[in-house]
Every structure is written in structure tokens, then in C-alpha cells.
């Protein structure tokens, strides 16, 4: 009888699906999942046309300025480039109140058409299954939006879409598509 129980237990352990990283809470997922966002990005006229925005004039109703390009780096370990007290302030004063959880940190260097841009620490957060990218900015407490990443067949075909308008559930003039800047081979 004991040997049958052992065989059943071994069978259950052998054939029980293992928990994958997608099933883990966001904070426990490995940072390499979020490092796929790292690199240089620029607006993609082709993809933005597919979203319904032929040119900048079609974005006249946009509520915020969008970067023309940016460089994003993600820390190996969340919080390594940001002081712990800053992490705590942002988590407690901003993200916790929004229902977001910080999942990764890094640096976001943006370039705007008429503004010199933002060069600051950034936070990736998770909320209701979506991922968000944020940075502190002089004109608002945090600047950013919901991000969607599409891995291309080659890295230069990767796409990152940022929806800077968080008050709408649908695509708005504040939804911008970026393509990864191709690495120059040496």
C-alpha cells in the first residue's frame, strides 16, 4: 500500500506543470524579461500610419508631448540605479495610490522635437496585467504610459507602443509607435 502511494505521489510530481515566469507575480519575474525594452527607439511613421496617424497634424488632439526618440536602459536588479528612499517615495506616494507595483528600474533619455528632453531614472510598473513606463519630469510628477512590446524577427524590427493617455481605454492621439534603432555593425 505504501509503495502505491509513493508511485502516485511521484506521478503527480512528475506530471504537474511547473509554474512559469508568466505565472509569477510581476515583482518576482527576472529582470531580463524587462530588459528586452532596453535600447534606442525612434518614432515609426509606418506603424503610426497603421494606427491612423498620418503625420503630426493628425495628433493635434494629443494631451501630452511625445518623444521623437529615446534610449532606455533597465537595471540588472530593480532599484540599483535609484536610491532606496527615492524608490520608497515613488512607491508609497505615487504608484501604490495608483494600484501599481514597481517591477524594474533604469534610465530613460528622451528627445523631443522642441524640448531638450528628459534624462532621468525610470520605473516600470505593473497594474492589472499591463506594464507601464514612468519617469519624473519637471512639469508633472510622473510622465509616461502603458507600453506594449512586439518582438520582431530581427531586433531592428521590434516595436514598442506607448499609450501616454491613461484616461482612455482605446487608442488616442497619445498612442505612439516606436521602432528599435538598428545597431550599427562594426
Amino acid at each position: 500500500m505504501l509503495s502505491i502511494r509513493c508511485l502516485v505521489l511521484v506521478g503527480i510530481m512528475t506530471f504537474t506543470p511547473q509554474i512559469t515566469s508568466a505565472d509569477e507575480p510581476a515583482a518576482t519575474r527576472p529582470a531580463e524579461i524587462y530588459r528586452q525594452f532596453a535600447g534606442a527607439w525612434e518614432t515609426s511613421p509606418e506603424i503610426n500610419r497603421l494606427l491612423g496617424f498620418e503625420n503630426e497634424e493628425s495628433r493635434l488632439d494629443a494631451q501630452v508631448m511625445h518623444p521623437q526618440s529615446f534610449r532606455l536602459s533597465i537595471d540588472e536588479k530593480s532599484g540599483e540605479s535609484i536610491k532606496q528612499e527615492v524608490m520608497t517615495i515613488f512607491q508609497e506616494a505615487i504608484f501604490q495610490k495608483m494600484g501599481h507595483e514597481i517591477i524594474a528600474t533604469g534610465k530613460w533619455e528622451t528627445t523631443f522635437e522642441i524640448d531638450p528632453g528628459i534624462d532621468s531614472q525610470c520605473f516600470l510598473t505593473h497594474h492589472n496585467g499591463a506594464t507601464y513606463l514612468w519617469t519624473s519630469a519637471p512639469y508633472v510628477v510622473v510622465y509616461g504610459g502603458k507600453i506594449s512590446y512586439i518582438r520582431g524577427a530581427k531586433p531592428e524590427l521590434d516595436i514598442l507602443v506607448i499609450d501616454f493617455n491613461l484616461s482612455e481605454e482605446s487608442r488616442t492621439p497619445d498612442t505612439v509607435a516606436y521602432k528599435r534603432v538598428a545597431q550599427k555593425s562594426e
Side-chain angles (χ1 to χ4, degrees):
M1 187 69 157
L2 183 58
S3 63
I4 292 174
R5 286 186 195 155
C6 289
L7 285 174
V8 170
L9 183 57
V10 168
I12 290 172
M13 290 172 54
T14 304
F15 297 106
T16 301
Q18 298 300 309
I19 295 174
T20 63
S21 62
D23 297 327
E24 296 175 20
T28 62
R29 291 185 191 154
E32 60 263 11
I33 290 172
Y34 307 107
R35 280 198 296 276
Q36 63 192 346
F37 307 147
W41 299 85
E42 63 188 7
T43 54
S44 171
E46 303 84 19
I47 302 299
N48 282 297
R49 263 193 298 283
L50 291 173
L51 291 175
F53 304 110
E54 291 295 322
N55 51 40
E56 283 306 307
E57 288 158 12
S58 61
R59 293 188 186 275
L60 290 178
D61 293 333
Q63 295 181 7
V64 297
M65 288 182 17
H66 312 114
Q68 295 297 306
S69 63
F70 60 89
R71 177 170 292 284
L72 188 61
S73 60
I74 305 298
D75 295 336
E76 287 282 325
K77 181 180 175 202
S78 187
E80 79 183 357
S81 67
I82 300 174
K83 293 180 182 176
Q84 184 58 44
E85 55 269 12
V86 173
M87 286 274 294
T88 302
I89 289 169
F90 273 84
Q91 179 61 35
E92 292 175 0
I94 299 167
F95 299 127
Q96 199 169 38
K97 290 179 180 179
M98 293 168 48
H100 287 235
E101 173 187 13
I102 295 174
I103 54 175
T105 58
K107 188 169 187 170
W108 193 14
E109 304 168 59
T110 61
T111 305
F112 292 87
E113 188 174 316
I114 59 172
D115 187 275
I118 302 168
D119 183 358
S120 182
Q121 73 230 356
C122 70
F123 302 90
L124 285 169
T125 65
H126 226 245
H127 177 65
N128 288 339
T131 303
Y132 296 79
L133 174 63
W134 305 101
T135 190
S136 57
Y139 47 88
V140 291
V141 178
V142 290
Y143 168 79
K146 182 166 52 170
I147 62 174
S148 301
Y149 173 77
I150 302 166
R151 172 175 264 145
K154 300 184 283 189
E156 59 269 17
L157 298 175
D158 290 353
I159 301 205
L160 192 67
V161 178
I162 304 178
D163 185 357
F164 293 96
N165 185 344
L166 301 177
S167 62
E168 299 272 336
E169 287 296 317
S170 60
R171 179 187 45 77
T172 70
D174 293 299
T175 304
V176 184
Y178 297 90
K179 64 180 178 180
R180 190 181 298 276
V181 176
Q183 301 266 326
K184 293 182 174 105
S185 50
E186 299 179 48

